[in-house]
Amino acid sequence: MIKLESSQPIGIFDSGIGGLTVAKTVIERLPHENVIYFGDTAHFPYGDKSKSAIQECTQHVVDKLLDHDCKVILIACNSASAAAYDFLKQRINDRAYLINIIDPILQSIAQTHAHKKIGLIGTRQTIGSNVYGQKLRALNSDIQLQSLATPLLVSAIETMLHNKKVIHEIIKEYFSNAILSDIDALILGCTHYPAIEKNIIEFYEGQTEIINPSHAAAAQIKQLLEENNLLNSAGHGLQHIYVSDYTDSFAQSVKLFFDKEIAVEY
């Protein structure tokens, strides 16, 4: 590992606005870090792409974040975490720490949700890869995982977040599926989904625990920085947002997550 400095930023990326939910959580947990976000909007969404296509897209994003001297890079996308984490880890080598959005939450629930029936929603790529089930088995977890691909949710959140009627109907259609009945908790297996967390809680009438993986990822980043003496005490949160293709809708969506004005750079 090359020598890293505490003043170097944390890089976070996703294919669209979804990863901003993760960035917000990381900043709340680590308010004195400098954070750079990259939305690979030219290749949105990752969830419907092949494994090789996701690897090709994400390697360019990671190279850009390395050019900005990021000390930690968080893959704030379940589809990319499932398809490209090992590939990107080899590419980065020892230039920065790499964290995916999946491992931290699975390590957490394996300890806290033993003998539970857990639902999982995600993109076709995430659910089809069965990465959650494989990793839970590797952790010797006896959690019963019930998985359902919910691909329409991502597009709805990106384009119709303000249209409550459309969001409600899509949630009703997916969550009425028997796969997601009688579950003790639900993992939001896509970083877009926390944007409609309140709607999901409302559907379950507050009777089902909703698990947002971004909290576990933020906790792991904090632990990693503490252990390696890389905590920054003089940073100022989100510094830059970069996109691979500028759209007004993305720029407008940024305002939903952060109170301050942040320029979106192309």
Side-chain angles (χ1 to χ4, degrees):
M1 175 68 68
I2 61 172
K3 183 172 175 55
L4 299 172
E5 303 291 340
S6 61
S7 58
Q8 291 175 242
I10 294 170
I12 300 173
F13 77 90
D14 192 7
S15 63
I17 67 169
L20 290 173
T21 65
V22 183
K24 186 174 182 180
T25 302
V26 170
I27 291 165
E28 288 171 351
R29 179 65 70 96
L30 295 161
H32 301 300
E33 294 293 333
N34 292 316
V35 175
I36 294 173
Y37 182 82
F38 192 99
D40 191 14
T41 46
H43 302 107
F44 168 84
Y46 285 161
D48 290 332
K49 288 181 168 53
S50 67
K51 183 175 181 177
S52 60
I54 292 174
Q55 289 177 350
E56 183 178 353
C57 293
T58 56
Q59 70 176 334
H60 295 299
V61 176
V62 164
D63 286 346
K64 289 181 182 296
L65 292 174
L66 289 173
D67 287 342
H68 287 283
D69 294 324
C70 292
K71 60 187 176 185
V72 177
I73 296 175
L74 171 61
I75 308 174
C77 172
N78 282 262
S79 299
S81 293
Y85 173 68
D86 292 332
F87 168 81
L88 293 174
K89 196 170 181 63
Q90 290 184 334
R91 186 175 184 83
I92 290 174
N93 196 6
D94 62 353
R95 290 177 288 172
Y97 292 102
L98 182 68
I99 294 177
N100 67 66
I101 196 70
I102 297 174
D103 287 334
I105 191 58
L106 291 184
Q107 291 162 6
S108 175
I109 67 168
Q111 298 176 4
T112 60
H113 289 69
H115 314 299
K116 299 289 187 180
K117 186 177 180 181
I118 307 295
L120 168 69
I121 55 173
T123 65
R124 290 191 183 97
Q125 169 60 234
T126 298
I127 302 303
S129 71
N130 192 31
V131 64
Y132 274 82
Q134 292 170 0
K135 287 178 177 288
L136 280 174
R137 284 194 294 275
L139 291 168
N140 296 316
S141 167
D142 61 356
I143 290 172
Q144 181 180 344
L145 190 67
Q146 303 283 113
S147 304
L148 181 69
T150 53
L152 290 178
L153 279 178
V154 173
S155 296
I157 290 167
E158 285 274 346
T159 60
M160 293 178 283
L161 191 56
H162 296 292
N163 192 326
K164 295 182 179 180
K165 183 177 180 180
V166 171
I167 294 293
H168 174 78
E169 289 302 316
I170 294 175
I171 287 176
K172 182 180 178 181
E173 178 67 23
Y174 280 136
F175 287 74
S176 296
N177 191 300
I179 292 174
L180 298 179
S181 65
D182 300 320
I183 55 175
D184 298 297
L186 176 72
I187 300 173
L188 304 181
C190 174
T191 52
H192 283 71
Y193 299 166
I196 57 168
E197 185 172 350
K198 290 181 180 178
N199 306 76
I200 297 172
I201 292 171
E202 183 179 316
F203 176 86
Y204 282 110
E205 298 179 343
Q207 300 302 305
T208 299
E209 179 188 0
I210 307 301
I211 300 173
N212 180 350
S214 64
H215 296 290
Q220 182 161 324
I221 291 176
K222 183 178 181 180
Q223 180 181 348
L224 174 68
L225 296 179
E226 288 174 339
E227 291 175 349
N228 292 279
N229 197 30
L230 287 173
L231 278 174
N232 192 354
S233 60
H236 303 286
L238 188 60
Q239 299 297 296
H240 297 283
I241 295 179
Y242 298 100
V243 292
S244 51
D245 182 33
Y246 182 89
T247 63
D248 288 333
S249 62
F250 184 95
Q252 290 297 318
S253 296
V254 171
K255 298 176 182 178
L256 297 174
F257 296 93
F258 300 98
D259 295 332
K260 64 179 181 178
E261 192 76 22
I262 304 172
V264 176
E265 302 174 51
Y266 171 62

